[in-house]
Amino acid sequence: TPLRRVSQGSLFALSRSGAYPDAPHGLGFLEPAMSEFVDETEALQTNMEGMKNLSDALGTFNESFASWLYVMNMNALTTDWPQ
């Protein structure tokens, strides 16, 4: 989903709109914006945890693959290959 930028103008428009007529006067219009912000922050945290898990898995694979390449190189150096 695309990121939605909450700008000063959009908050001003939200405070003047009739979308939330029962909202308290003053800063009451911030409640819907803050709940959306919390939802997006939770989604960001979930995505970052997924990226960390992917990074850990790739690190484990890289170590294993490098070990295998090292063993293959040592095998090539120690094996007497018939010409």
Side-chain angles (χ1 to χ4, degrees), residues 31-46:
E31 184 179 349
M34 291 306 290
S35 66
E36 184 177 337
F37 177 71
V38 167
D39 293 341
E40 295 298 326
T41 304
E42 290 172 354
L44 176 65
Q45 181 180 1
T46 302

Side-chain angles (χ1 to χ4, degrees), residues 6-71:
V6 179
S7 65
Q8 182 181 5
S10 64
L11 287 177
F12 181 75
L14 183 60
S15 70
R16 301 292 184 229
S17 72
Y20 302 98
D22 57 342
H25 182 70
L27 296 179
F29 70 94
L30 283 177
E31 184 179 349
M34 291 306 290
S35 66
E36 184 177 337
F37 177 71
V38 167
D39 293 341
E40 295 298 326
T41 304
E42 290 172 354
L44 176 65
Q45 181 180 1
T46 302
N47 291 339
M48 291 304 294
E49 288 173 359
M51 292 295 287
K52 184 185 179 309
N53 291 340
L54 178 63
S55 175
D56 293 343
L58 285 173
T60 302
F61 171 78
N62 285 341
E63 289 176 12
S64 300
F65 189 66
S67 298
W68 180 76
L69 288 176
Y70 180 76
V71 166

